[in-house]
Amino acid sequence: MVKVGVLALQGAVREHIRSVEECGAEGIAIKKEEQLKEVDGLILPGGESTAMRRLIDKYDFMDALKEFAAEGKPMFGTCAGLILLAKNLVGHEPHIGVMDITVERNSFGRQVDSFEADLAIKDVADNFPAVFIRAPHIVEAGAEVEILSKHNDRIVAAREGQFLGCSFHPELTDKHDLTAYFIEMVKEAKAKQFV
Ligand code: GLN
């Protein structure tokens, strides 16, 4: 069984762990950087990216997160987590900065803070009920990035090798297909380590 960590400094942690377990993997809340050694993949949850960044610095997580990425282990950023993964942010310095995308925060307008949309996500689902909460979107994606979904012409889900990111909150619905897709990425990456 693969072990998937959920960065548990702030944000929607418990729902991600439930979703991971529904998919038959072990979900572990990561509160200390040493725990990253125990897991095969990591989910960066939604919440507030600036608050999360403050806690990453306060609890000395940044080097361990970058090392985790450098080891080729899969990382899945959802909403604020997508912002943490991006190499470029509009109007802001990047955070972990590992996925070749440019992300803009709060990009669906103030008047519609949150909404739900049925999305077609390539290789995942034809009708995925996506919950957007003050969501970011991907403005630009590098050549190696595969675009998995768009909403209103904006990129809202993408993959670049070991990195998966989405603008919405997949853990807030009972459909676990996107989490299951990530767990397959984790299994494949783990299997490669033993070849
Ligand atoms: N707007 C938040 C940010 O900029 C993200 C919102 C979310 O994760 N639901 O970090």
Side-chain angles (χ1 to χ4, degrees):
M1 198 196 258
V2 289
K3 291 184 183 175
V4 174
V6 181
L7 187 66
L9 298 175
Q10 195 251 356
V13 176
R14 194 174 314 178
E15 296 83 353
H16 271 298
I17 288 186
R18 190 182 56 100
S19 186
V20 164
E21 300 205 319
E22 291 278 333
C23 297
E26 187 179 340
I28 298 173
I30 304 289
K31 296 193 168 150
K32 296 195 178 126
E33 53 106 359
E34 308 92 78
Q35 289 177 283
L36 285 174
K37 295 198 170 57
E38 294 168 26
V39 295
D40 309 301
L42 181 69
I43 295 176
L44 304 159
E48 178 57 46
S49 55
T50 48
M52 244 183 259
R53 173 57 192 273
R54 265 199 299 279
L55 295 168
I56 285 174
D57 291 342
K58 182 168 175 192
Y59 295 104
D60 261 335
F61 257 95
M62 191 52 97
D63 287 347
L65 288 168
K66 286 186 174 164
E67 205 173 298
F68 193 87
E71 282 167 0
K73 291 187 179 158
M75 296 170 97
F76 178 18
T78 67
C79 205
L82 172 75
I83 298 169
L84 294 179
L85 284 183
K87 273 194 184 159
N88 302 293
L89 298 178
V90 174
H92 201 286
E93 287 299 305
H95 301 294
I96 308 171
V98 286
M99 187 171 175
D100 193 12
I101 50 174
T102 301
V103 168
E104 185 177 326
R105 294 174 67 195
N106 304 325
S107 39
F108 288 90
R110 273 173 205 276
Q111 53 293 41
V112 267
D113 252 6
S114 33
F115 60 94
E116 208 177 308
D118 275 337
L119 299 180
I121 308 177
K122 187 173 178 276
D123 300 335
V124 175
D126 292 333
N127 264 300
F128 188 87
V131 179
F132 291 79
I133 306 170
R134 293 187 307 285
H137 83 287
I138 299 171
V139 186
E140 235 178 88
E144 301 303 316
V145 177
E146 187 183 14
I147 293 163
L148 301 180
S149 186
K150 283 187 177 184
H151 178 64
N152 289 350
D153 271 341
R154 294 179 162 182
I155 306 168
V156 294
R159 174 177 180 180
E160 182 193 14
Q162 81 199 88
F163 303 117
L164 179 67
C166 67
S167 298
F168 47 89
H169 283 258
E171 78 288 3
L172 296 182
T173 59
D174 288 331
K175 225 170 132 100
H176 300 289
D177 312 53
L178 193 55
T179 307
Y181 177 91
F182 178 63
I183 287 166
E184 279 310 306
M185 285 170 58
V186 177
K187 284 183 185 162
E188 280 166 27
K190 194 174 181 185
K192 269 192 207 151
Q193 282 180 350
F194 294 107
V195 173

